Amino acid sequence: MPTPTSFLHELVGCMSQGAAGNPTVAMIQAAFTHHQLPWRYINLEVAPADLPAAVHGALAMGFRGFNLSMPHKVAVIPLLAGLGESAKLIGAVNCVVRRDGAFVGENTDGKGFLTSLQTVIDPRGTNVVLFGAGGAARAIAIELALAGIRHLTIVNRAMDRGRGLVDALRAGTPTEVTFVPWSGNYVVPSDTQVLINATSIGLYAPEARVPVAVESLRPEMVVADVVFNPPNTRFLDEAAARGCTTLDGLGMLVNQGVIGVSYWTGVTPDAAVMRRALEQALGLAR
């Protein structure tokens, strides 16, 4: 006899404010379809005051997990049963996984960036300069430190936040870390191997300029941007013109989605399928 069709799908999604603008649903659902997984990913508009009820409701309704975007990445922590290593060090959660009937928090932001970076360079033993000290920068800095970089320079306008990130890295990792206040066009040290813009400069603003002394960019550098729309930012265009190897923000977004799907389903999805779906959703497909 044929196996009865099940009309009950496994549920995951993303809780955020501004959920209508989150394109993650397109690439995650494409992965589920490609791998014939009976799962559904749903964008969920959740106000801060409603987050506890939303998390408890997701647990009661059998959600297998969910992503978190602004403004919930820190507020969700006391609502969870535990945290993974990266989430503990970063102090923020962007991916929740159901394990043994409870929700556990992970952070895939930095892992997604690291996976993307490893396609062009092995970061172990490298000197890295990181622009920014916010959520994305913090996640990337932690993962780079855990991956064994030699030295990290944090460049940020807000001194308190920059020094706070340096203190966290020194307390939790063996990496050498330096903080530099960001004033004017930053001159990139000549021994830098990886330069990363982990700020929002350029997001939906193709003419926005990252304040960097372009003449200090050298061809042997890898220059990366976390901005995913547009993927070819002015920062990356300037770096490419100087002969640098460049890495756009779409790779980070796709790879953190790959890690999330793997956490939830146990299946490692096809990253190429997910990237094509994301490009189509953003109107970037050729």
Side-chain angles (χ1 to χ4, degrees):
M1 295 180 63
T3 303
T5 298
S6 173
F7 296 102
L8 180 65
H9 291 88
E10 301 287 1
L11 297 177
V12 287
C14 182
M15 298 184 188
S16 67
Q17 277 196 311
N22 181 6
T24 303
V25 59
M27 68 175 184
I28 300 290
Q29 200 59 56
F32 292 159
T33 300
H34 178 76
H35 293 281
Q36 299 182 325
L37 297 172
W39 289 59
R40 291 290 181 269
Y41 187 99
I42 307 166
N43 277 344
L44 302 163
E45 184 76 16
V46 178
D50 295 328
L51 183 63
V55 172
H56 291 310
L59 188 66
M61 289 187 291
F63 271 64
R64 297 293 294 273
F66 49 89
N67 289 131
L68 293 146
S69 191
M70 295 299 292
H72 304 314
K73 292 184 178 183
V74 175
V76 76
I77 291 175
L79 305 174
L80 304 175
L83 298 177
E85 179 187 17
S86 294
K88 285 180 184 177
L89 287 171
I90 295 165
V93 168
N94 79 322
C95 183
V96 170
V97 186
R98 191 184 192 106
R99 295 182 181 136
D100 298 324
F103 282 151
V104 176
E106 299 282 358
N107 196 302
T108 64
D109 280 332
K111 289 183 174 68
F113 177 84
L114 182 62
T115 300
S116 184
L117 181 65
Q118 287 169 331
T119 64
V120 294
I121 190 173
D122 182 349
R124 287 177 295 179
T126 60
N127 296 322
V128 180
V129 172
L130 179 69
F131 293 144
R138 190 178 180 93
I140 289 168
I142 293 293
E143 292 297 342
L144 288 172
L146 293 175
I149 63 171
R150 191 186 78 78
H151 186 273
L152 178 64
T153 301
I154 305 292
V155 182
N156 196 61
R157 290 191 182 89
M159 296 182 67
D160 288 348
R161 178 175 280 189
R163 287 177 174 155
L165 177 52
V166 169
D167 291 343
L169 287 162
R170 287 175 177 167
T173 76
T175 301
E176 297 177 13
V177 192
T178 301
F179 171 69
V180 177
W182 199 351
S183 178
N185 288 333
Y186 178 77
V187 177
V188 183
S190 61
D191 63 349
T192 300
Q193 289 142 297
V194 181
L195 174 65
I196 306 161
N197 174 38
T199 76
S200 60
I201 298 172
L203 183 62
Y204 305 118
E207 296 305 314
R209 183 178 175 275
V210 174
V212 60
V214 176
E215 64 275 10
S216 66
L217 301 180
R218 301 165 66 89
E220 58 269 24
M221 293 177 184
V222 173
V223 178
D225 204 327
V226 303
V227 169
F228 65 89
N229 194 3
N232 294 321
T233 59
R234 179 173 175 178
F235 178 59
L236 293 185
D237 286 344
E238 290 176 344
R242 296 285 298 175
C244 302
T245 299
T246 60
L247 198 63
D248 67 42
L250 284 180
M252 175 181 172
L253 188 58
V254 169
N255 282 307
Q256 68 186 44
V258 167
I259 296 165
V261 171
S262 180
Y263 277 153
W264 296 324
T265 69
V267 173
T268 301
D270 188 324
V273 168
M274 295 173 68
R275 180 162 181 133
R276 284 196 299 271
L278 184 60
E279 289 174 342
Q280 289 174 353
L282 294 173
L284 303 172
R286 298 189 181 110

